[in-house]
Amino acid sequence: MTSLLVLQQVRAVDPARQLDAVVDIVIERGRIIRIGRGAASELSPSEHVKFVRGPLTVFPGFIDLHTHLREPGHEYKEDIASGLKAAAHGGFVAVCSMPNTKPVNDRRSITDAIVARAKEVGGTRLHPIGAVTVGSEGHKLADIGDMRLAGAVAISDDGRCVTSSSVMRHALEYARTFDMPVIQHAEDHALTEGAQMNEGAVSTRIGLRGWPRVAEDIIVARDVLLAEATGARYHVAHVSTHGAVRILREAKSRGIRVTAEVTPHHLLLTDESVIGYNTACKVNPPLRLAEDVAALREALADGTIDCIATDHAPHSGLEKDCEFSAAAPGMLGLELCVPLLYGFVLDGTLRIERFVDALSQAPAGIVSLERPTLAEGARADITVIDPEARWHIDPSKFRSKSKNTPFAGREVRGRVTMTIVGGNVAFEFGS
Amino acid sequence: MSRPFRHLLDIESLTRGEILTILGLAQKMWEVSERSVKKVPTLRGKTIVGLFLEASTRTRSSFELAGKRLSADVINISGSGSSTSKGETLLDTVKNLDAMSPDVIVLRHSSSGAPHFIASRVRCAVVNAGDGTHEHPTQALLDCATMMKHKGSLEGKTVAIVGDVAHSRVARSNIHALTKLGANVRVAGPRTLMPVDIGAMGATVFERVEPAITDADVVMVLRLQSERQEAGLIPNTREYSRYFGVNSRNIELAKPDAIVMHPGPINRGVELEPELADGSRSVILEQVTYGVAVRMAVLYLVAGGTLDEG
């Protein structure tokens, strides 16, 4: 049994401490007990002291605000055990799980069951998100206070938009009492009935019903006004349009309590990827245009979009190996996010501090979790990567039960080599 | 140069030369249909399965006759009688058919891209007989055959496509075919029935019918389905007819020898005035005749013929 874990001569990057230096990190009993140049110089490897060395970069542990772990109800796609293993494999120390399970997580008994199962599984922590409304049907508020007590960190009807202005107002007002953010899937369903992909030249050419960008913008604009009126915390899930970015930027400049996330796929792909009826690229909101991708990257870099979230949405062949209109929306994210997006650090799209903040401290703040940090005395939630690794995405290596990704075969830079959750190694590459 | 003609999934991926080759072959097939004995042994021993999972009378019977005139064995399966209505997936239905070793599956399906999906999963050839709002390649080919009979080369000719372009696979296939053949394509209809950025496909977009059909060589009228009114895309069919219908008055704006086409079935008095549908400009029934010939050519090619590029 090792009692000390030592990360020796690693580059440590922690934007919260303006730290970017080569240091040793010593971890004992779940906490960082020493960090600094030569902090481990008096230690040597033994039965009780595990050393990790190499040209590695370490970050405060990554947190994903937006995952679908499918349990209860759709365990053939993913379950809490496989989902949390996938999360650890992808470098995440904690994930939030959306409530669109079967049954919907709209009451304490279900939240309890999810929390209990995650504790049994161990490794990456799971923080459930409760439904806004009963059954996520958009009418009656769910048991928000009870779910909070059971461990829910936010509420959302993700997959569906809280369409009614009145219900959304009351959700924001009520959630404010419990200091929870309301996470909105911004889609005016009246404008997207039957929609299969982004509305534009590509949807016209390949004959698929379009999802116009304005359907997102309308909801974000309305919700920002409601957030202002109620003073509540509002978070926009998977922002996909340049219009929504503009509204968010304006709202933030006026001090409204609004935050936002963006997915790796919306930062990397456009609607052109759907050509050929590639169901792996069917997501909701859909992949947009190059001008949207550019606006999303810029907004992530300048902080208008606070964080990166994967919208990890596992599906089996039943939902994806079929004609496009019959396919379910969503793609995997947990095991792809870091390698896909580390390229942004290398090509200068994102400063490394912003990359780390967007994956760690910013999401923690949005759902009021303890912010991971690389400091003496801090809980040892740490993500370790090999920044030099060059490799190809191979879905057969995924811990997820599902394989639905359009990124198979893509060459990436940077590999997660270790995920440390509360001092315990939840994942280690090669072991 | 020639390449095996594996499937016919869309017009977009065909070259101009390939389209002209199919049309040339269709001309020969048309001659077969003019004989007293309308049958040749070309596809004897070949099996063609028509899988029509969306309502179709004209296209289904046209493919069936085409197959039979080439001596192929043809069976048709329609939506209501098929296992898809019992909850079987399209892929399973098609794999089961493929296991019976047909040479060709002709598929009509309400989902855009369905033929492309199954083509990647079966051994036999796949012919798209209309997929969602994507393409209807044999319709565009028969339309081009009809236009060329009356107009010769389509190079520089002006074709106005009028009506519900948004929901029309016929319009999309025709825009691809006509632009490849050098025609100027105009589309016209209310904005609610015009897909976004349709101009990117190479058509000139008009909101009003009159400027679109002015000096046109061909006026192709699209069917207006009653669902469009129910969906709130147009106020009612009376108003549609008044502002977007083609009639014996506005047709005078077209060239004196302009022809009027319609893929059928016609809503008489809605998108097209009955007198015009039956008048001297109308080539609507010739389109149907060419439909059989074009489908004979396509079935011949996918069942083993080669496609020489012109």
Side-chain angles (χ1 to χ4, degrees):
Chain A
M1 182 70 196
T2 48
S3 55
L4 282 183
L5 177 59
V6 177
L7 307 176
Q8 192 180 37
Q9 295 273 306
V10 293
R11 178 186 177 194
V13 180
D14 180 358
R17 300 184 55 213
Q18 280 101 46
L19 170 70
D20 185 351
V22 175
V23 296
D24 298 340
I25 298 174
V26 183
I27 297 159
E28 185 180 29
R29 292 178 205 225
R31 303 225 158 244
I32 296 172
I33 58 165
R34 283 204 295 282
I35 177 168
R37 196 179 296 266
S41 55
E42 287 163 17
L43 295 168
S44 54
S46 76
E47 191 184 345
H48 301 290
V49 186
K50 178 183 167 75
F51 266 68
V52 177
R53 301 191 181 87
L56 302 172
T57 306
V58 307
F59 305 119
F62 291 168
I63 295 172
D64 188 353
L65 287 189
H66 196 140
T67 69
H68 297 275
L69 300 190
R70 308 297 191 205
E71 182 178 350
H74 298 110
E75 289 86 352
Y76 68 99
K77 303 181 189 194
E78 194 82 286
D79 58 27
I80 288 169
S82 66
L84 292 181
K85 282 194 178 66
H89 190 213
F92 292 98
V93 301
V95 298
C96 299
S97 62
M98 282 296 177
N100 64 336
T101 46
K102 194 176 177 183
V104 170
N105 180 18
D106 60 2
R107 67 198 67 179
R108 179 168 182 171
S109 56
I110 299 164
T111 313
D112 278 339
I114 292 169
V115 168
R117 179 67 191 131
K119 284 226 170 76
E120 252 171 53
V121 169
T124 292
R125 293 187 203 95
L126 172 57
H127 301 284
I129 294 168
V132 176
T133 61
V134 174
S136 286
E137 285 173 352
H139 306 302
K140 190 175 170 296
L141 290 183
D143 300 349
I144 294 166
D146 278 356
M147 290 191 292
R148 174 62 157 168
L149 200 62
V153 294
I155 52 171
S156 180
D157 279 350
D158 184 58
R160 283 153 117 175
C161 183
V162 180
T163 309
S164 157
S165 300
S166 164
V167 172
M168 189 60 186
R169 174 197 170 169
H170 293 139
L172 286 162
E173 288 171 338
Y174 194 77
R176 191 185 160 169
T177 305
F178 298 93
D179 197 30
M180 292 166 100
V182 179
I183 302 177
Q184 177 72 293
H185 170 113
E187 173 181 0
D188 184 342
H189 292 295
L191 287 169
T192 62
E193 203 184 320
Q196 302 290 325
M197 67 172 299
N198 179 58
E199 181 180 279
V202 175
S203 68
T204 289
R205 182 151 62 88
I206 69 176
L208 291 174
R209 184 81 68 90
W211 195 131
R213 294 178 289 180
V214 71
E216 177 167 320
D217 307 347
I218 283 171
I219 297 296
V220 174
R222 179 204 70 178
D223 287 352
V224 158
L225 296 173
L226 287 171
E228 182 176 30
T230 59
R233 287 161 61 192
Y234 173 65
H235 178 77
V236 190
H238 42 51
V239 175
S240 73
T241 68
H242 73 92
V245 165
R246 198 180 64 223
I247 295 161
L248 289 167
R249 191 169 279 135
E250 195 264 351
K252 286 191 163 187
S253 75
R254 291 199 294 119
I256 300 169
R257 297 171 80 193
V258 47
T259 55
E261 70 190 32
V262 63
T263 71
H265 49 273
H266 288 110
L267 289 166
L268 291 168
L269 301 175
T270 66
D271 62 351
E272 304 257 336
S273 306
V274 175
I275 292 170
Y277 304 97
N278 183 358
T279 58
C281 288
K282 184 174 178 178
V283 285
N284 190 15
L287 301 172
R288 302 291 188 185
L289 306 181
E291 67 195 46
D292 298 294
V293 171
L296 294 171
R297 291 180 180 186
E298 186 193 353
L300 179 62
D302 72 18
T304 300
I305 292 176
D306 302 80
C307 68
I308 296 161
T310 67
D311 196 3
H312 176 78
H315 287 296
S316 79
L318 280 177
E319 292 85 22
K320 287 294 191 182
D321 193 15
C322 57
E323 57 273 29
F324 198 87
S325 65
M331 67 170 78
L332 298 181
L334 282 169
E335 296 170 85
L336 294 144
C337 178
V338 172
L340 286 175
L341 297 186
Y342 189 67
F344 282 158
V345 173
L346 297 173
D347 71 15
T349 303
L350 287 181
R351 287 177 300 111
I352 194 163
E353 297 82 7
R354 186 77 261 279
F355 173 76
V356 176
D357 179 55
L359 280 164
S360 176
Q361 288 146 357
I366 290 166
V367 289
S368 312
L369 297 175
E370 181 179 328
R371 286 179 201 240
T373 185
L374 301 177
E376 271 180 25
R379 189 163 71 186
D381 286 352
I382 298 173
T383 300
V384 183
I385 72 162
D386 172 359
E388 300 301 326
R390 262 178 201 274
W391 55 293
H392 292 87
I393 301 281
D394 177 4
S396 74
K397 303 271 177 13
F398 288 170
R399 269 48 163 187
S400 172
K401 284 189 181 180
S402 293
K403 310 290 171 214
N404 54 304
T405 175
F407 293 108
R410 176 181 278 232
E411 193 191 43
V412 288
R413 292 278 300 277
R415 186 200 300 272
V416 174
T417 57
M418 186 176 271
T419 306
I420 303 168
V421 182
N424 296 313
V425 176
F427 163 72
E428 183 174 9
F429 179 69
S431 71
Chain B
M1 242 184 25
S2 73
R3 67 172 171 95
F5 194 65
R6 178 96 170 81
H7 307 288
L8 177 65
L9 301 178
D10 51 48
I11 298 290
E12 186 180 4
S13 57
L14 297 181
T15 65
R16 169 194 171 90
E18 289 169 337
I19 292 171
L20 290 172
T21 301
I22 299 170
L23 295 177
L25 188 56
Q27 193 56 42
K28 295 195 185 94
M29 298 297 183
W30 181 80
E31 285 154 19
V32 171
S33 297
E34 294 294 293
R35 297 179 193 164
S36 60
V37 177
K38 301 178 180 59
K39 195 157 186 153
V40 290
T42 317
L43 294 186
R44 194 161 59 197
K46 303 279 187 186
T47 313
I48 296 166
V49 178
L51 184 56
F52 288 84
L53 299 178
E54 189 186 65
S56 165
T57 307
R58 191 182 330 258
T59 305
R60 195 186 61 208
S61 45
S62 180
F63 268 108
E64 184 169 352
L65 277 176
K68 286 180 169 165
R69 285 183 184 170
L70 294 171
S71 302
D73 297 308
V74 183
I75 61 162
N76 274 325
I77 301 165
S78 62
S80 55
S82 75
S83 47
T84 19
S85 60
K86 297 177 194 157
E88 189 178 46
T89 66
L90 174 66
L91 184 57
D92 280 336
T93 303
V94 167
K95 278 177 163 174
N96 277 278
L97 291 172
D98 195 43
M100 296 181 230
S101 304
D103 297 281
V104 185
I105 290 178
V106 177
L107 178 70
R108 165 162 292 190
H109 199 277
S110 59
S111 180
S112 298
H116 303 67
F117 168 61
I118 70 159
S120 66
R121 308 303 293 271
V122 294
R123 294 169 299 157
C124 67
V126 176
V127 173
N128 180 2
D131 64 323
T133 52
H134 175 226
E135 283 220 38
H136 192 349
T138 55
Q139 178 71 43
L141 291 168
L142 73 88
D143 288 338
C144 288
T146 310
M147 284 182 250
M148 286 169 73
K149 182 188 171 219
H150 289 269
K151 301 291 164 193
S153 165
L154 299 181
E155 196 74 51
K157 298 292 191 302
T158 298
V159 180
I161 302 175
V162 179
D164 182 5
V165 177
H167 300 91
S168 178
R169 53 194 173 211
V170 175
R172 286 172 177 77
S173 282
N174 266 299
I175 291 170
H176 286 305
L178 290 164
T179 52
K180 284 173 202 274
L181 295 177
N184 305 311
V185 184
R186 299 169 175 175
V187 292
R191 280 280 166 190
T192 50
L193 298 177
M194 196 58 70
V196 296
D197 292 338
I198 182 81
M201 287 179 67
T204 310
V205 183
F206 291 82
E207 293 188 17
R208 301 299 295 257
V209 173
E210 291 76 14
I213 63 179
T214 296
D215 295 325
D217 296 283
V218 177
V219 177
M220 184 183 295
V221 187
L222 301 174
R223 174 178 168 78
L224 181 85
Q225 292 187 310
S226 57
E227 296 98 284
R228 309 304 168 225
Q229 183 180 331
E230 289 142 29
L233 295 171
I234 55 162
N236 54 62
T237 52
R238 180 193 52 77
E239 178 155 324
Y240 182 86
S241 167
R242 174 173 296 169
Y243 297 104
F244 302 101
V246 176
N247 52 51
S248 46
R249 275 170 290 107
N250 59 22
I251 197 67
E252 293 305 320
L253 295 166
K255 289 221 176 108
D257 61 347
I259 55 172
V260 173
M261 305 177 73
H262 192 296
I266 306 171
N267 290 307
R268 288 175 174 265
V270 181
E271 69 267 9
L272 185 59
E273 185 187 283
E275 292 73 21
L276 202 52
D278 302 325
S280 59
R281 292 178 184 273
S282 171
V283 297
I284 294 169
L285 293 175
E286 277 178 68
Q287 291 174 262
V288 178
T289 306
Y290 268 108
V292 178
V294 156
R295 285 163 185 135
M296 287 169 77
V298 168
L299 290 174
Y300 164 73
L301 287 167
V302 297
T306 58
L307 188 62
D308 295 309
E309 286 202 50

